[in-house]
PDB file of all heavy atoms in Angstrom:
ATOM      1  N   PHE A 563      74.669 128.931 111.702  1.00  0.00           N
ATOM      2  CA  PHE A 563      75.625 127.837 111.545  1.00  0.00           C
ATOM      3  C   PHE A 563      76.973 128.376 111.085  1.00  0.00           C
ATOM      4  O   PHE A 563      77.089 129.510 110.630  1.00  0.00           O
ATOM      5  CB  PHE A 563      75.098 126.784 110.564  1.00  0.00           C
ATOM      6  CG  PHE A 563      74.904 127.280 109.159  1.00  0.00           C
ATOM      7  CD1 PHE A 563      75.931 127.176 108.229  1.00  0.00           C
ATOM      8  CD2 PHE A 563      73.709 127.839 108.760  1.00  0.00           C
ATOM      9  CE1 PHE A 563      75.761 127.621 106.934  1.00  0.00           C
ATOM     10  CE2 PHE A 563      73.526 128.298 107.456  1.00  0.00           C
ATOM     11  CZ  PHE A 563      74.552 128.179 106.545  1.00  0.00           C
ATOM     12  N   TYR A 564      77.985 127.547 111.222  1.00  0.00           N
ATOM     13  CA  TYR A 564      79.343 127.839 110.772  1.00  0.00           C
ATOM     14  C   TYR A 564      79.727 126.820 109.713  1.00  0.00           C
ATOM     15  O   TYR A 564      79.273 125.678 109.757  1.00  0.00           O
ATOM     16  CB  TYR A 564      80.345 127.719 111.927  1.00  0.00           C
ATOM     17  CG  TYR A 564      80.154 128.724 113.021  1.00  0.00           C
ATOM     18  CD1 TYR A 564      79.336 128.441 114.115  1.00  0.00           C
ATOM     19  CD2 TYR A 564      80.783 129.961 112.972  1.00  0.00           C
ATOM     20  CE1 TYR A 564      79.164 129.372 115.125  1.00  0.00           C
ATOM     21  CE2 TYR A 564      80.617 130.894 113.982  1.00  0.00           C
ATOM     22  CZ  TYR A 564      79.808 130.589 115.055  1.00  0.00           C
ATOM     23  OH  TYR A 564      79.626 131.507 116.064  1.00  0.00           O
ATOM     24  N   LEU A 565      80.569 127.215 108.772  1.00  0.00           N
ATOM     25  CA  LEU A 565      81.163 126.280 107.824  1.00  0.00           C
ATOM     26  C   LEU A 565      82.585 125.990 108.293  1.00  0.00           C
ATOM     27  O   LEU A 565      83.360 126.908 108.540  1.00  0.00           O
ATOM     28  CB  LEU A 565      81.209 126.869 106.416  1.00  0.00           C
ATOM     29  CG  LEU A 565      79.885 126.991 105.693  1.00  0.00           C
ATOM     30  CD1 LEU A 565      80.095 127.625 104.327  1.00  0.00           C
ATOM     31  CD2 LEU A 565      79.217 125.637 105.532  1.00  0.00           C
ATOM     32  N   ARG A 566      82.906 124.743 108.420  1.00  0.00           N
ATOM     33  CA  ARG A 566      84.230 124.352 108.898  1.00  0.00           C
ATOM     34  C   ARG A 566      84.780 123.215 108.044  1.00  0.00           C
ATOM     35  O   ARG A 566      84.027 122.391 107.519  1.00  0.00           O
ATOM     36  CB  ARG A 566      84.161 123.858 110.352  1.00  0.00           C
ATOM     37  CG  ARG A 566      83.761 124.906 111.346  1.00  0.00           C
ATOM     38  CD  ARG A 566      84.933 125.874 111.574  1.00  0.00           C
ATOM     39  NE  ARG A 566      84.644 126.806 112.636  1.00  0.00           N
ATOM     40  CZ  ARG A 566      84.241 128.049 112.448  1.00  0.00           C
ATOM     41  NH1 ARG A 566      84.064 128.504 111.239  1.00  0.00           N
ATOM     42  NH2 ARG A 566      84.021 128.841 113.468  1.00  0.00           N
ATOM     43  N   LYS A 567      86.086 123.160 107.941  1.00  0.00           N
ATOM     44  CA  LYS A 567      86.759 122.039 107.285  1.00  0.00           C
ATOM     45  C   LYS A 567      87.199 121.047 108.341  1.00  0.00           C
ATOM     46  O   LYS A 567      87.536 121.429 109.452  1.00  0.00           O
ATOM     47  CB  LYS A 567      87.986 122.532 106.519  1.00  0.00           C
ATOM     48  CG  LYS A 567      87.661 123.352 105.311  1.00  0.00           C
ATOM     49  CD  LYS A 567      88.925 123.741 104.580  1.00  0.00           C
ATOM     50  CE  LYS A 567      88.591 124.600 103.384  1.00  0.00           C
ATOM     51  NZ  LYS A 567      89.803 125.024 102.675  1.00  0.00           N
ATOM     52  N   ARG A 568      87.192 119.771 107.958  1.00  0.00           N
ATOM     53  CA  ARG A 568      87.735 118.735 108.837  1.00  0.00           C
ATOM     54  C   ARG A 568      89.062 118.280 108.262  1.00  0.00           C
ATOM     55  O   ARG A 568      89.159 118.036 107.059  1.00  0.00           O
ATOM     56  CB  ARG A 568      86.772 117.550 108.911  1.00  0.00           C
ATOM     57  CG  ARG A 568      85.585 117.836 109.783  1.00  0.00           C
ATOM     58  CD  ARG A 568      84.646 116.678 109.962  1.00  0.00           C
ATOM     59  NE  ARG A 568      85.196 115.356 109.710  1.00  0.00           N
ATOM     60  CZ  ARG A 568      84.446 114.274 109.579  1.00  0.00           C
ATOM     61  NH1 ARG A 568      83.148 114.347 109.675  1.00  0.00           N
ATOM     62  NH2 ARG A 568      85.011 113.106 109.355  1.00  0.00           N
ATOM     63  N   PRO A 569      90.056 118.165 109.106  1.00  0.00           N
ATOM     64  CA  PRO A 569      91.384 117.801 108.591  1.00  0.00           C
ATOM     65  C   PRO A 569      91.419 116.444 107.898  1.00  0.00           C
ATOM     66  O   PRO A 569      92.233 116.220 107.017  1.00  0.00           O
ATOM     67  CB  PRO A 569      92.274 117.797 109.829  1.00  0.00           C
ATOM     68  CG  PRO A 569      91.388 117.917 111.002  1.00  0.00           C
ATOM     69  CD  PRO A 569      90.043 118.366 110.540  1.00  0.00           C
ATOM     70  N   ASP A 570      90.516 115.547 108.248  1.00  0.00           N
ATOM     71  CA  ASP A 570      90.514 114.211 107.654  1.00  0.00           C
ATOM     72  C   ASP A 570      89.706 114.124 106.355  1.00  0.00           C
ATOM     73  O   ASP A 570      89.608 113.066 105.768  1.00  0.00           O
ATOM     74  CB  ASP A 570      89.982 113.188 108.661  1.00  0.00           C
ATOM     75  CG  ASP A 570      88.560 113.493 109.114  1.00  0.00           C
ATOM     76  OD1 ASP A 570      88.197 114.688 109.146  1.00  0.00           O
ATOM     77  OD2 ASP A 570      87.830 112.546 109.429  1.00  0.00           O
ATOM     78  N   CYS A 571      89.150 115.251 105.899  1.00  0.00           N
ATOM     79  CA  CYS A 571      88.277 115.202 104.720  1.00  0.00           C
ATOM     80  C   CYS A 571      88.707 116.162 103.608  1.00  0.00           C
ATOM     81  O   CYS A 571      87.871 116.658 102.856  1.00  0.00           O
ATOM     82  CB  CYS A 571      86.847 115.506 105.128  1.00  0.00           C
ATOM     83  SG  CYS A 571      86.151 114.240 106.187  1.00  0.00           S
ATOM     84  N   GLY A 572      89.967 116.467 103.520  1.00  0.00           N
ATOM     85  CA  GLY A 572      90.462 117.318 102.439  1.00  0.00           C
ATOM     86  C   GLY A 572      89.847 118.703 102.473  1.00  0.00           C
ATOM     87  O   GLY A 572      89.783 119.341 103.514  1.00  0.00           O
ATOM     88  N   ASN A 573      89.359 119.143 101.325  1.00  0.00           N
ATOM     89  CA  ASN A 573      88.793 120.494 101.218  1.00  0.00           C
ATOM     90  C   ASN A 573      87.291 120.548 101.452  1.00  0.00           C
ATOM     91  O   ASN A 573      86.688 121.597 101.300  1.00  0.00           O
ATOM     92  CB  ASN A 573      89.118 121.095  99.856  1.00  0.00           C
ATOM     93  CG  ASN A 573      90.580 121.499  99.759  1.00  0.00           C
ATOM     94  OD1 ASN A 573      91.188 121.838 100.765  1.00  0.00           O
ATOM     95  ND2 ASN A 573      91.132 121.451  98.563  1.00  0.00           N
ATOM     96  N   SER A 574      86.676 119.433 101.771  1.00  0.00           N
ATOM     97  CA  SER A 574      85.232 119.420 102.017  1.00  0.00           C
ATOM     98  C   SER A 574      84.899 120.279 103.228  1.00  0.00           C
ATOM     99  O   SER A 574      85.608 120.265 104.224  1.00  0.00           O
ATOM    100  CB  SER A 574      84.736 117.998 102.265  1.00  0.00           C
ATOM    101  OG  SER A 574      84.957 117.210 101.126  1.00  0.00           O
ATOM    102  N   LYS A 575      83.793 121.013 103.107  1.00  0.00           N
ATOM    103  CA  LYS A 575      83.337 121.820 104.242  1.00  0.00           C
ATOM    104  C   LYS A 575      82.106 121.169 104.854  1.00  0.00           C
ATOM    105  O   LYS A 575      81.296 120.562 104.165  1.00  0.00           O
ATOM    106  CB  LYS A 575      83.002 123.243 103.795  1.00  0.00           C
ATOM    107  CG  LYS A 575      84.225 124.023 103.401  1.00  0.00           C
ATOM    108  CD  LYS A 575      83.889 125.460 103.117  1.00  0.00           C
ATOM    109  CE  LYS A 575      85.147 126.223 102.767  1.00  0.00           C
ATOM    110  NZ  LYS A 575      84.875 127.613 102.472  1.00  0.00           N
ATOM    111  N   PHE A 576      81.988 121.321 106.159  1.00  0.00           N
ATOM    112  CA  PHE A 576      80.865 120.753 106.893  1.00  0.00           C
ATOM    113  C   PHE A 576      80.157 121.859 107.649  1.00  0.00           C
ATOM    114  O   PHE A 576      80.780 122.827 108.080  1.00  0.00           O
ATOM    115  CB  PHE A 576      81.360 119.689 107.881  1.00  0.00           C
ATOM    116  CG  PHE A 576      81.936 118.485 107.199  1.00  0.00           C
ATOM    117  CD1 PHE A 576      83.255 118.476 106.778  1.00  0.00           C
ATOM    118  CD2 PHE A 576      81.144 117.384 106.955  1.00  0.00           C
ATOM    119  CE1 PHE A 576      83.784 117.372 106.127  1.00  0.00           C
ATOM    120  CE2 PHE A 576      81.663 116.281 106.315  1.00  0.00           C
ATOM    121  CZ  PHE A 576      82.989 116.272 105.902  1.00  0.00           C
ATOM    122  N   ILE A 577      78.878 121.695 107.824  1.00  0.00           N
ATOM    123  CA  ILE A 577      78.099 122.678 108.576  1.00  0.00           C
ATOM    124  C   ILE A 577      78.064 122.263 110.039  1.00  0.00           C
ATOM    125  O   ILE A 577      77.763 121.116 110.370  1.00  0.00           O
ATOM    126  CB  ILE A 577      76.663 122.780 108.031  1.00  0.00           C
ATOM    127  CG1 ILE A 577      76.679 123.436 106.658  1.00  0.00           C
ATOM    128  CG2 ILE A 577      75.766 123.546 108.987  1.00  0.00           C
ATOM    129  CD1 ILE A 577      75.320 123.560 106.019  1.00  0.00           C
ATOM    130  N   LEU A 578      78.376 123.223 110.871  1.00  0.00           N
ATOM    131  CA  LEU A 578      78.245 123.040 112.307  1.00  0.00           C
ATOM    132  C   LEU A 578      77.023 123.845 112.732  1.00  0.00           C
ATOM    133  O   LEU A 578      77.052 125.071 112.760  1.00  0.00           O
ATOM    134  CB  LEU A 578      79.502 123.549 113.025  1.00  0.00           C
ATOM    135  CG  LEU A 578      79.457 123.578 114.544  1.00  0.00           C
ATOM    136  CD1 LEU A 578      79.273 122.167 115.092  1.00  0.00           C
ATOM    137  CD2 LEU A 578      80.725 124.195 115.094  1.00  0.00           C
ATOM    138  N   LEU A 579      75.920 123.155 112.959  1.00  0.00           N
ATOM    139  CA  LEU A 579      74.666 123.802 113.323  1.00  0.00           C
ATOM    140  C   LEU A 579      74.766 124.315 114.751  1.00  0.00           C
ATOM    141  O   LEU A 579      75.092 123.564 115.660  1.00  0.00           O
ATOM    142  CB  LEU A 579      73.515 122.804 113.203  1.00  0.00           C
ATOM    143  CG  LEU A 579      72.115 123.318 113.444  1.00  0.00           C
ATOM    144  CD1 LEU A 579      71.727 124.332 112.385  1.00  0.00           C
ATOM    145  CD2 LEU A 579      71.138 122.160 113.431  1.00  0.00           C
ATOM    146  N   VAL A 580      74.498 125.593 114.918  1.00  0.00           N
ATOM    147  CA  VAL A 580      74.621 126.195 116.241  1.00  0.00           C
ATOM    148  C   VAL A 580      73.266 126.315 116.905  1.00  0.00           C
ATOM    149  O   VAL A 580      73.088 125.919 118.046  1.00  0.00           O
ATOM    150  CB  VAL A 580      75.300 127.581 116.141  1.00  0.00           C
ATOM    151  CG1 VAL A 580      75.341 128.254 117.485  1.00  0.00           C
ATOM    152  CG2 VAL A 580      76.683 127.431 115.565  1.00  0.00           C
ATOM    153  N   SER A 581      72.289 126.859 116.209  1.00  0.00           N
ATOM    154  CA  SER A 581      70.976 127.044 116.823  1.00  0.00           C
ATOM    155  C   SER A 581      69.910 127.279 115.756  1.00  0.00           C
ATOM    156  O   SER A 581      70.204 127.752 114.673  1.00  0.00           O
ATOM    157  CB  SER A 581      71.000 128.234 117.793  1.00  0.00           C
ATOM    158  OG  SER A 581      71.509 129.368 117.140  1.00  0.00           O
ATOM    159  N   ILE A 582      68.691 126.923 116.097  1.00  0.00           N
ATOM    160  CA  ILE A 582      67.549 127.193 115.235  1.00  0.00           C
ATOM    161  C   ILE A 582      66.438 127.767 116.103  1.00  0.00           C
ATOM    162  O   ILE A 582      66.205 127.297 117.217  1.00  0.00           O
ATOM    163  CB  ILE A 582      67.082 125.924 114.466  1.00  0.00           C
ATOM    164  CG1 ILE A 582      65.933 126.270 113.519  1.00  0.00           C
ATOM    165  CG2 ILE A 582      66.718 124.804 115.411  1.00  0.00           C
ATOM    166  CD1 ILE A 582      65.605 125.167 112.529  1.00  0.00           C
ATOM    167  N   TYR A 583      65.819 128.836 115.607  1.00  0.00           N
ATOM    168  CA  TYR A 583      64.778 129.541 116.353  1.00  0.00           C
ATOM    169  C   TYR A 583      63.615 129.885 115.430  1.00  0.00           C
ATOM    170  O   TYR A 583      63.807 130.023 114.225  1.00  0.00           O
ATOM    171  CB  TYR A 583      65.293 130.879 116.912  1.00  0.00           C
ATOM    172  CG  TYR A 583      66.521 130.799 117.747  1.00  0.00           C
ATOM    173  CD1 TYR A 583      67.753 131.202 117.254  1.00  0.00           C
ATOM    174  CD2 TYR A 583      66.457 130.325 119.051  1.00  0.00           C
ATOM    175  CE1 TYR A 583      68.890 131.141 118.035  1.00  0.00           C
ATOM    176  CE2 TYR A 583      67.592 130.262 119.840  1.00  0.00           C
ATOM    177  CZ  TYR A 583      68.806 130.675 119.322  1.00  0.00           C
ATOM    178  OH  TYR A 583      69.925 130.613 120.097  1.00  0.00           O
ATOM    179  N   ARG A 584      62.442 130.063 116.015  1.00  0.00           N
ATOM    180  CA  ARG A 584      61.349 130.697 115.283  1.00  0.00           C
ATOM    181  C   ARG A 584      61.803 132.111 114.985  1.00  0.00           C
ATOM    182  O   ARG A 584      62.443 132.758 115.789  1.00  0.00           O
ATOM    183  CB  ARG A 584      60.076 130.771 116.127  1.00  0.00           C
ATOM    184  CG  ARG A 584      59.260 129.515 116.215  1.00  0.00           C
ATOM    185  CD  ARG A 584      58.429 129.225 114.987  1.00  0.00           C
ATOM    186  NE  ARG A 584      57.622 130.325 114.528  1.00  0.00           N
ATOM    187  CZ  ARG A 584      56.416 130.654 114.999  1.00  0.00           C
ATOM    188  NH1 ARG A 584      55.883 129.969 115.971  1.00  0.00           N
ATOM    189  NH2 ARG A 584      55.759 131.669 114.502  1.00  0.00           N
ATOM    190  N   ASP A 585      61.497 132.597 113.822  1.00  0.00           N
ATOM    191  CA  ASP A 585      61.952 133.920 113.391  1.00  0.00           C
ATOM    192  C   ASP A 585      60.763 134.873 113.377  1.00  0.00           C
ATOM    193  O   ASP A 585      59.852 134.719 112.587  1.00  0.00           O
ATOM    194  CB  ASP A 585      62.579 133.818 112.005  1.00  0.00           C
ATOM    195  CG  ASP A 585      63.310 135.063 111.581  1.00  0.00           C
ATOM    196  OD1 ASP A 585      63.119 136.109 112.225  1.00  0.00           O
ATOM    197  OD2 ASP A 585      64.062 134.998 110.602  1.00  0.00           O
ATOM    198  N   TYR A 586      60.804 135.868 114.251  1.00  0.00           N
ATOM    199  CA  TYR A 586      59.729 136.861 114.332  1.00  0.00           C
ATOM    200  C   TYR A 586      60.161 138.201 113.726  1.00  0.00           C
ATOM    201  O   TYR A 586      59.424 139.171 113.804  1.00  0.00           O
ATOM    202  CB  TYR A 586      59.331 137.082 115.796  1.00  0.00           C
ATOM    203  CG  TYR A 586      58.754 135.835 116.434  1.00  0.00           C
ATOM    204  CD1 TYR A 586      59.535 135.018 117.239  1.00  0.00           C
ATOM    205  CD2 TYR A 586      57.433 135.465 116.218  1.00  0.00           C
ATOM    206  CE1 TYR A 586      59.018 133.870 117.815  1.00  0.00           C
ATOM    207  CE2 TYR A 586      56.901 134.319 116.797  1.00  0.00           C
ATOM    208  CZ  TYR A 586      57.702 133.532 117.591  1.00  0.00           C
ATOM    209  OH  TYR A 586      57.188 132.399 118.159  1.00  0.00           O
ATOM    210  N   ASP A 587      61.339 138.245 113.123  1.00  0.00           N
ATOM    211  CA  ASP A 587      61.895 139.482 112.574  1.00  0.00           C
ATOM    212  C   ASP A 587      61.246 139.795 111.222  1.00  0.00           C
ATOM    213  O   ASP A 587      61.436 139.068 110.250  1.00  0.00           O
ATOM    214  CB  ASP A 587      63.403 139.328 112.428  1.00  0.00           C
ATOM    215  CG  ASP A 587      64.093 140.598 111.991  1.00  0.00           C
ATOM    216  OD1 ASP A 587      63.448 141.471 111.386  1.00  0.00           O
ATOM    217  OD2 ASP A 587      65.303 140.711 112.264  1.00  0.00           O
ATOM    218  N   LYS A 588      60.495 140.891 111.156  1.00  0.00           N
ATOM    219  CA  LYS A 588      59.800 141.265 109.924  1.00  0.00           C
ATOM    220  C   LYS A 588      60.776 141.488 108.776  1.00  0.00           C
ATOM    221  O   LYS A 588      60.483 141.140 107.632  1.00  0.00           O
ATOM    222  CB  LYS A 588      58.940 142.510 110.144  1.00  0.00           C
ATOM    223  CG  LYS A 588      58.128 142.870 108.910  1.00  0.00           C
ATOM    224  CD  LYS A 588      57.176 143.999 109.162  1.00  0.00           C
ATOM    225  CE  LYS A 588      56.390 144.449 107.967  1.00  0.00           C
ATOM    226  NZ  LYS A 588      56.727 143.971 106.659  1.00  0.00           N
ATOM    227  N   ASP A 589      61.952 142.036 109.059  1.00  0.00           N
ATOM    228  CA  ASP A 589      62.951 142.233 108.003  1.00  0.00           C
ATOM    229  C   ASP A 589      63.369 140.893 107.389  1.00  0.00           C
ATOM    230  O   ASP A 589      63.521 140.787 106.173  1.00  0.00           O
ATOM    231  CB  ASP A 589      64.194 142.947 108.535  1.00  0.00           C
ATOM    232  CG  ASP A 589      63.939 144.415 108.840  1.00  0.00           C
ATOM    233  OD1 ASP A 589      62.965 144.992 108.289  1.00  0.00           O
ATOM    234  OD2 ASP A 589      64.703 144.993 109.627  1.00  0.00           O
ATOM    235  N   ASP A 590      63.542 139.879 108.227  1.00  0.00           N
ATOM    236  CA  ASP A 590      63.865 138.545 107.716  1.00  0.00           C
ATOM    237  C   ASP A 590      62.725 137.997 106.862  1.00  0.00           C
ATOM    238  O   ASP A 590      62.958 137.408 105.812  1.00  0.00           O
ATOM    239  CB  ASP A 590      64.155 137.573 108.860  1.00  0.00           C
ATOM    240  CG  ASP A 590      65.533 137.738 109.454  1.00  0.00           C
ATOM    241  OD1 ASP A 590      66.336 138.534 108.911  1.00  0.00           O
ATOM    242  OD2 ASP A 590      65.815 137.074 110.471  1.00  0.00           O
ATOM    243  N   HIS A 591      61.503 138.201 107.299  1.00  0.00           N
ATOM    244  CA  HIS A 591      60.347 137.723 106.533  1.00  0.00           C
ATOM    245  C   HIS A 591      60.310 138.398 105.167  1.00  0.00           C
ATOM    246  O   HIS A 591      60.062 137.743 104.150  1.00  0.00           O
ATOM    247  CB  HIS A 591      59.045 138.006 107.280  1.00  0.00           C
ATOM    248  CG  HIS A 591      58.934 137.288 108.587  1.00  0.00           C
ATOM    249  ND1 HIS A 591      57.767 137.276 109.320  1.00  0.00           N
ATOM    250  CD2 HIS A 591      59.822 136.572 109.318  1.00  0.00           C
ATOM    251  CE1 HIS A 591      57.946 136.580 110.420  1.00  0.00           C
ATOM    252  NE2 HIS A 591      59.198 136.142 110.443  1.00  0.00           N
ATOM    253  N   ASP A 592      60.569 139.710 105.161  1.00  0.00           N
ATOM    254  CA  ASP A 592      60.572 140.452 103.896  1.00  0.00           C
ATOM    255  C   ASP A 592      61.696 139.981 102.979  1.00  0.00           C
ATOM    256  O   ASP A 592      61.490 139.804 101.772  1.00  0.00           O
ATOM    257  CB  ASP A 592      60.694 141.958 104.151  1.00  0.00           C
ATOM    258  CG  ASP A 592      59.464 142.546 104.830  1.00  0.00           C
ATOM    259  OD1 ASP A 592      58.389 141.894 104.807  1.00  0.00           O
ATOM    260  OD2 ASP A 592      59.578 143.657 105.385  1.00  0.00           O
ATOM    261  N   LYS A 593      62.885 139.764 103.526  1.00  0.00           N
ATOM    262  CA  LYS A 593      64.016 139.261 102.730  1.00  0.00           C
ATOM    263  C   LYS A 593      63.683 137.900 102.134  1.00  0.00           C
ATOM    264  O   LYS A 593      63.990 137.624 100.977  1.00  0.00           O
ATOM    265  CB  LYS A 593      65.272 139.142 103.594  1.00  0.00           C
ATOM    266  CG  LYS A 593      65.914 140.452 103.930  1.00  0.00           C
ATOM    267  CD  LYS A 593      67.112 140.224 104.841  1.00  0.00           C
ATOM    268  CE  LYS A 593      67.619 141.535 105.401  1.00  0.00           C
ATOM    269  NZ  LYS A 593      68.664 141.334 106.414  1.00  0.00           N
ATOM    270  N   PHE A 594      63.057 137.049 102.944  1.00  0.00           N
ATOM    271  CA  PHE A 594      62.714 135.713 102.458  1.00  0.00           C
ATOM    272  C   PHE A 594      61.673 135.808 101.348  1.00  0.00           C
ATOM    273  O   PHE A 594      61.770 135.114 100.336  1.00  0.00           O
ATOM    274  CB  PHE A 594      62.210 134.827 103.596  1.00  0.00           C
ATOM    275  CG  PHE A 594      61.996 133.406 103.160  1.00  0.00           C
ATOM    276  CD1 PHE A 594      63.071 132.538 103.082  1.00  0.00           C
ATOM    277  CD2 PHE A 594      60.743 132.943 102.811  1.00  0.00           C
ATOM    278  CE1 PHE A 594      62.898 131.230 102.666  1.00  0.00           C
ATOM    279  CE2 PHE A 594      60.555 131.635 102.393  1.00  0.00           C
ATOM    280  CZ  PHE A 594      61.638 130.780 102.319  1.00  0.00           C
ATOM    281  N   LYS A 595      60.707 136.692 101.508  1.00  0.00           N
ATOM    282  CA  LYS A 595      59.672 136.863 100.479  1.00  0.00           C
ATOM    283  C   LYS A 595      60.304 137.353  99.171  1.00  0.00           C
ATOM    284  O   LYS A 595      59.979 136.858  98.092  1.00  0.00           O
ATOM    285  CB  LYS A 595      58.598 137.834 100.957  1.00  0.00           C
ATOM    286  CG  LYS A 595      57.437 137.937 100.018  1.00  0.00           C
ATOM    287  CD  LYS A 595      56.304 138.748 100.603  1.00  0.00           C
ATOM    288  CE  LYS A 595      55.152 138.737  99.622  1.00  0.00           C
ATOM    289  NZ  LYS A 595      53.912 139.147 100.208  1.00  0.00           N
ATOM    290  N   GLU A 596      61.220 138.321  99.259  1.00  0.00           N
ATOM    291  CA  GLU A 596      61.925 138.799  98.063  1.00  0.00           C
ATOM    292  C   GLU A 596      62.720 137.665  97.417  1.00  0.00           C
ATOM    293  O   GLU A 596      62.732 137.531  96.186  1.00  0.00           O
ATOM    294  CB  GLU A 596      62.873 139.937  98.428  1.00  0.00           C
ATOM    295  CG  GLU A 596      62.181 141.225  98.796  1.00  0.00           C
ATOM    296  CD  GLU A 596      63.163 142.274  99.309  1.00  0.00           C
ATOM    297  OE1 GLU A 596      64.380 142.166  99.012  1.00  0.00           O
ATOM    298  OE2 GLU A 596      62.708 143.196 100.006  1.00  0.00           O
ATOM    299  N   PHE A 597      63.372 136.863  98.247  1.00  0.00           N
ATOM    300  CA  PHE A 597      64.142 135.718  97.769  1.00  0.00           C
ATOM    301  C   PHE A 597      63.240 134.739  97.010  1.00  0.00           C
ATOM    302  O   PHE A 597      63.570 134.299  95.912  1.00  0.00           O
ATOM    303  CB  PHE A 597      64.808 135.047  98.975  1.00  0.00           C
ATOM    304  CG  PHE A 597      65.416 133.705  98.707  1.00  0.00           C
ATOM    305  CD1 PHE A 597      66.559 133.576  97.939  1.00  0.00           C
ATOM    306  CD2 PHE A 597      64.858 132.559  99.252  1.00  0.00           C
ATOM    307  CE1 PHE A 597      67.134 132.333  97.710  1.00  0.00           C
ATOM    308  CE2 PHE A 597      65.423 131.316  99.038  1.00  0.00           C
ATOM    309  CZ  PHE A 597      66.556 131.202  98.254  1.00  0.00           C
ATOM    310  N   GLU A 598      62.081 134.431  97.571  1.00  0.00           N
ATOM    311  CA  GLU A 598      61.145 133.519  96.906  1.00  0.00           C
ATOM    312  C   GLU A 598      60.651 134.092  95.580  1.00  0.00           C
ATOM    313  O   GLU A 598      60.539 133.374  94.595  1.00  0.00           O
ATOM    314  CB  GLU A 598      59.948 133.233  97.814  1.00  0.00           C
ATOM    315  CG  GLU A 598      60.209 132.177  98.842  1.00  0.00           C
ATOM    316  CD  GLU A 598      58.934 131.730  99.531  1.00  0.00           C
ATOM    317  OE1 GLU A 598      58.101 132.585  99.864  1.00  0.00           O
ATOM    318  OE2 GLU A 598      58.793 130.518  99.741  1.00  0.00           O
TER     319      GLU A 598
END
């Protein structure tokens, strides 16, 4: 996703969701486990 500002909403940032996928990357799984 991207964080973007909208001109009509001051300094508020909005998320622009680009894509969501199943994650098969072992490095990502390990990072998430460390995070938890």
Side-chain angles (χ1 to χ4, degrees):
F563 63 91
Y564 295 91
L565 288 179
R566 295 286 187 260
K567 290 183 182 178
R568 284 184 21 193
D570 60 330
C571 294
N573 287 331
S574 298
K575 291 186 178 180
F576 294 84
I577 290 179
L578 173 62
L579 184 65
V580 176
S581 52
I582 183 168
Y583 305 105
R584 280 283 310 276
D585 191 346
Y586 296 99
D587 185 337
K588 184 174 177 350
D589 288 339
D590 282 354
H591 297 189
D592 292 342
K593 286 177 191 173
F594 186 81
K595 186 172 183 164
E596 289 173 21
F597 168 70
E598 278 191 318

